[in-house]
Amino acid sequence: MPIGAVVISALRTALFILAALVGPLAQPVAAASEGTIALEVCGTLKGHQAATASTAGSLTIGTRTFVVAPGIQPGNGGVQVAVDRDLCVEGSLGRFSNQFVRYLFFPLPPDSQLCGNVQHLSGGAPQQTSGPVVINADFGALVLTLGSGLSRPAEDARVCYVVEVARPSGDLTALRSQPVTTTNQREWISPCGTVKSYTQATPTAAGSITIGSATRAIAAGTSYTGDPAGDRTDRTTVGSNMCLEGTLGDTRAIIDYLTTAMPIELAGTASEYTPPAGPSAGVIVLSYRSHSELRVPPTIADAVDLGRGSYCYSVGVDVFGDAIATALITCGSGGVAVGPIATGIPSTAVAPGPVHQCGSFVSYTPPTAVRSGVLVIGSTIYAAAWMGSTGPAGSTPHTFNQVIAPGVVAGSQVCLDGNIATSQTEANLLTDFTVAPATAATASGSPSSPTPANPTAPTTDSAPPWILPVVAGLLASLAAILWLYRSRRARQ
């Protein structure tokens, strides 16, 4: 994201790499036809009963209780899952069944700040000074109780609140509002399609850009931002298929942006899904924070897997010039890949736990606050987690200890020692790790393959005890599965 990727504060876990490591073992048949909404819930975990293959589970955060569809298992974004802990859940909720068909635990923002657009007002007229309000936060619709003295914002207004978990209810409450000033607090957009028109802004006049069926104003005085860490040449071309990444200012006009060639393939986890209606295409929201949408025609809509949430499509444009899926494809079959997350194609899936691997160092892209990093050693690609918390609820998440030793360069022989986190949302997710030049001692054992984790290593209650053997069996039988990630320029 232009500029924004380098200034996101340590308030979120990284947006998770867009493919699930292992999908749920079962899913209600009705889920795909009803579609989902993206939901974010923060507060005190009062109860969590994991679903089984045949029975529904339940999740209680604060005063709100949700049903988890049979067969759906949670992911974990770096938080200890235990009753009476403060945490957040991001998931996809069936539009009519109101059951989670995908959900993931992650920490509360360490600076207790949340931003989003007001989705709708609930509980009465705008002049009321208390009661819940819903904002479109990073991962979905988030309900906040407004504290004393806070007035209700206007529809679709961009707001930032300092929040706390109320006691004893466990519900999230907005204490005070914050001005929207930094880039990470602002709204992001990332449409893809045919550039229909493009007028650059001048110091005194606004510009505009139309991609597909959507037109966005470019604020006066805004020049093409480009990649702060790389290419800043504006190659936006009318008639070309491109993706726009932009940050919106107070008037919802673009205040920084870049454009890139539209990929011919996309992979993603659907945070929200609207099924096709008759001949009209449906819409999958692949990245909720930047609202990256992909149309899905009725001819391939049946292939949507809401529980697993993972999609790999070839991409074209429809008659309106909007990006649309043209076929369901095998993940990792090739093609241009772009998106908000640095990615690769891991050829080897590594079980959770300690890992030791020696081989040729290929590349390393450090994690940022909006994406996991990418470490490539030999033919194995790892995701590098950005931050996490191992302390009690409310403790400040810390940056993982991730070290690339001096002297490590592309092509050199190295050894990786680290830990693979248990995650259903990121393949080969490293937390703490060290990559150092290989020596006779460190390179002992197989030089090209990661050492599998101990299958009896303890886990949190984010997955039932039988899930590890199931995962191990799946990994053994599905070793050829490739994970398509969408590559992005490294951010400062």
Side-chain angles (χ1 to χ4, degrees):
M1 191 65 194
I3 299 179
V6 299
V7 296
I8 299 290
S9 66
L11 61 90
R12 306 304 259 171
T13 55
L15 286 177
F16 307 108
I17 289 180
L18 303 179
L21 174 60
V22 178
L25 304 180
Q27 176 189 345
V29 175
S33 61
E34 70 172 344
T36 61
I37 58 174
L39 187 70
E40 187 173 343
V41 187
C42 296
T44 303
L45 182 66
K46 297 296 185 72
H48 179 219
Q49 178 63 51
T52 69
S54 58
T55 62
S58 65
L59 176 70
T60 300
I61 295 182
T63 58
R64 305 173 70 189
T65 297
F66 303 89
V67 176
V68 179
I72 304 303
Q73 297 300 318
N76 194 306
V79 62
Q80 291 182 329
V81 179
V83 172
D84 294 330
R85 289 188 178 275
D86 294 340
L87 45 68
C88 291
V89 167
E90 173 266 330
S92 298
L93 200 67
R95 290 180 181 270
F96 305 113
S97 67
N98 290 318
Q99 296 183 354
F100 273 118
V101 295
R102 183 186 63 83
Y103 69 116
L104 178 147
F105 294 102
F106 64 98
L108 282 166
D111 59 0
S112 301
Q113 182 174 279
L114 289 169
C115 301
N117 286 34
V118 177
Q119 186 180 70
H120 61 77
L121 301 176
S122 94
Q127 64 267 22
Q128 289 184 315
T129 58
S130 63
V133 66
V134 181
I135 64 173
N136 288 335
D138 284 352
F139 300 113
L142 176 68
V143 175
L144 287 169
T145 297
L146 294 180
S148 176
L150 288 178
S151 60
R152 302 180 69 83
E155 180 78 8
D156 210 34
R158 186 71 179 178
V159 294
C160 285
Y161 292 114
V162 174
V163 299
E164 73 171 5
V165 177
R167 311 294 180 194
S169 70
D171 293 327
L172 199 64
T173 300
L175 296 180
R176 62 182 183 275
S177 60
Q178 295 281 88
V180 180
T181 56
T182 63
T183 304
N184 70 291
Q185 295 171 337
R186 299 189 184 278
E187 182 179 357
W188 293 6
I189 57 170
S190 56
C192 293
T194 303
V195 180
K196 299 290 190 65
S197 65
Y198 176 46
T199 302
Q200 293 178 310
T202 71
T204 57
S208 68
I209 185 169
T210 300
I211 293 187
S213 58
T215 299
R216 287 284 184 180
I218 303 173
T222 298
S223 58
Y224 182 82
T225 308
D227 187 342
D231 189 2
R232 295 172 181 255
T233 302
D234 187 355
R235 295 183 175 86
T236 309
T237 305
V238 173
S240 297
N241 294 336
M242 308 191 80
C243 292
L244 164 72
E245 302 167 34
T247 302
L248 306 185
D250 296 338
T251 63
R252 304 198 72 186
I254 294 170
I255 58 173
D256 60 63
Y257 67 105
L258 64 80
T259 55
T260 56
M262 194 182 85
I264 60 174
E265 293 182 5
L266 279 178
T269 296
S271 58
E272 190 161 294
Y273 174 57
T274 302
S280 301
V283 176
I284 285 178
V285 179
L286 295 178
S287 173
Y288 197 82
R289 180 178 175 88
S290 59
H291 209 76
S292 177
E293 294 185 352
L294 178 66
R295 294 336 188 238
V296 180
T299 53
I300 58 176
D302 289 343
V304 169
D305 176 4
L306 293 176
R308 184 166 179 265
S310 181
Y311 308 89
C312 295
Y313 291 124
S314 59
V315 179
V317 293
D318 61 15
V319 294
F320 305 104
D322 294 316
I324 189 169
T326 57
L328 183 68
I329 60 174
T330 301
C331 292
S333 62
V336 179
V338 299
I341 296 176
T343 57
I345 304 174
S347 58
T348 304
V350 184
V355 62
H356 172 77
Q357 180 190 2
C358 297
S360 176
F361 179 79
V362 178
S363 64
Y364 173 59
T365 301
T368 74
V370 294
R371 65 176 182 223
S372 294
V374 177
L375 171 66
V376 185
I377 296 179
S379 62
T380 306
I381 296 183
Y382 298 91
W386 173 55
M387 58 178 287
S389 175
T390 57
S395 63
T396 300
H398 64 278
T399 300
F400 291 116
N401 183 30
Q402 300 175 349
V403 178
I404 304 295
V408 172
V409 297
S412 62
Q413 293 300 304
V414 299
C415 286
L416 161 71
D417 287 283
N419 187 68
I420 301 292
T422 301
S423 174
Q424 292 185 355
T425 57
E426 297 193 55
N428 302 349
L429 179 62
L430 284 167
T431 53
D432 297 316
F433 69 85
T434 299
V435 176
T439 64
T442 61
S444 60
S446 173
S448 59
S449 301
T451 302
N454 179 2
T456 62
T459 63
T460 69
D461 68 351
S462 62
W466 48 263
I467 194 65
L468 287 178
V470 172
V471 171
L474 287 172
L475 292 175
S477 62
L478 300 178
I481 289 181
L482 301 177
W483 298 94
L484 177 62
Y485 292 132
R486 297 161 51 192
S487 62
R488 172 65 57 82
R489 301 175 178 85
R491 301 293 194 257
Q492 293 292 339

